[in-house]
Amino acid sequence: MLITHDTRCALDTVVDLVNTAPDDESAPDGLADVAGLYAFVRGHRMSDVGALSEFDLSAVRRIRGRFAGIFAAPDARTAAGMINELVAAAGTTPRLTDHDAYDWHVHYFAPGASVADHLAADCGMALAFFVVAGEQERLRRCEAPDCLRAFVDLSRNRSRRYCDSRTCGNRLHVAAYRARRKESAG
C-alpha cells in the first residue's frame, strides 16, 4: 500500500491524538487544557489553525473518542460507517495545497475550519484510505495486557503486535523468558 507523506503525517497525528486519552482514572489526559492542545497542534505542525479555546479542546476530545472507536471497530463496515460520519460532520472540502515547503498534497478540511474539523477531515480520510485498501486490520491496539495504545501496523506482513517493540514487546518477552527460566529451575 502506497502511503503519501501527508497521509503518513495524518496517521501519526491520529495515533498520537488517540493516545492522549488517559488509560484509566489515574493517568493524566494528554490534552488536559488548551495549552496542551496548542502543544499538540505545534508538535504535529498542523497548518491553518488559529486561536484555540476551551470549546476547541472539548470538540477535539470528542473526536478523539470517535477515532478511538475506529481503532476498536470489529470490521471494515463498522469502521467505514464511523469514518463516514466523522468526515461528513467535518464538512470536508478537498483542496490542493503546497504550503510550508511541502510539494502538492490534498487537505480535506475547509479553509478556516476548527481544529476539530481539521483533525476529523484529514485524519478521517487517512483512515478511510486503509479501509478502501482492505487494510482496516492494520489499525490496532497494543496487545500488551497493561497497554491500550493505538498504532498503525505498517509491517510488510501485518504482524506487529505492540505499540513499541522496545518497551511493550521487549517487556513481555523478558517476562516470558524469566518465567520459563524459573519453571525450568523449579
Side-chain angles (χ1 to χ4, degrees), residues 2-25:
L2 175 66
I3 301 173
T4 62
H5 172 76
D6 52 316
T7 300
R8 180 59 194 257
C9 289
L11 289 172
D12 292 343
T13 300
V14 72
V15 164
D16 290 347
L17 177 63
V18 169
N19 290 335
T20 63
D23 293 336
D24 57 43
E25 294 80 35

Side-chain angles (χ1 to χ4, degrees), residues 95-112:
R95 63 188 168 97
L96 289 168
T97 183
D98 66 342
H99 62 87
D100 299 329
Y102 292 112
D103 203 1
W104 289 105
H105 59 282
V106 179
H107 280 188
Y108 295 94
F109 60 93

Side-chain angles (χ1 to χ4, degrees), residues 38-55:
Y38 270 115
F40 183 86
V41 166
R42 275 191 311 277
H44 289 88
R45 293 193 270 164
M46 293 174 61
S47 62
D48 200 23
V49 174
L52 299 172
S53 67
E54 288 291 331
F55 178 82

Side-chain angles (χ1 to χ4, degrees), residues 17-150:
L17 177 63
V18 169
N19 290 335
T20 63
D23 293 336
D24 57 43
E25 294 80 35
S26 65
D29 190 322
L31 295 176
D33 52 24
V34 175
L37 181 56
Y38 270 115
F40 183 86
V41 166
R42 275 191 311 277
H44 289 88
R45 293 193 270 164
M46 293 174 61
S47 62
D48 200 23
V49 174
L52 299 172
S53 67
E54 288 291 331
F55 178 82
D56 292 307
L57 177 63
S58 178
V60 169
R61 285 179 179 163
R62 276 193 306 279
I63 66 153
R64 174 180 68 184
R66 295 180 75 183
F67 278 127
I70 294 166
F71 276 85
D75 55 51
R77 183 165 304 284
T78 304
M82 297 168 88
I83 292 168
N84 284 339
E85 288 176 11
L86 193 62
V87 171
T92 56
T93 306
R95 63 188 168 97
L96 289 168
T97 183
D98 66 342
H99 62 87
D100 299 329
Y102 292 112
D103 203 1
W104 289 105
H105 59 282
V106 179
H107 280 188
Y108 295 94
F109 60 93
S114 71
V115 67
D117 285 345
H118 179 141
L119 288 164
D122 273 2
C123 296
M125 289 305 300
L127 297 177
F129 295 143
F130 274 76
V131 174
V132 167
E135 301 286 352
Q136 182 260 337
E137 73 275 1
R138 290 183 182 267
L139 309 177
R140 298 196 174 153
R141 291 292 192 154
C142 184
E143 289 184 19
D146 58 343
C147 181
L148 298 173
R149 294 180 62 81

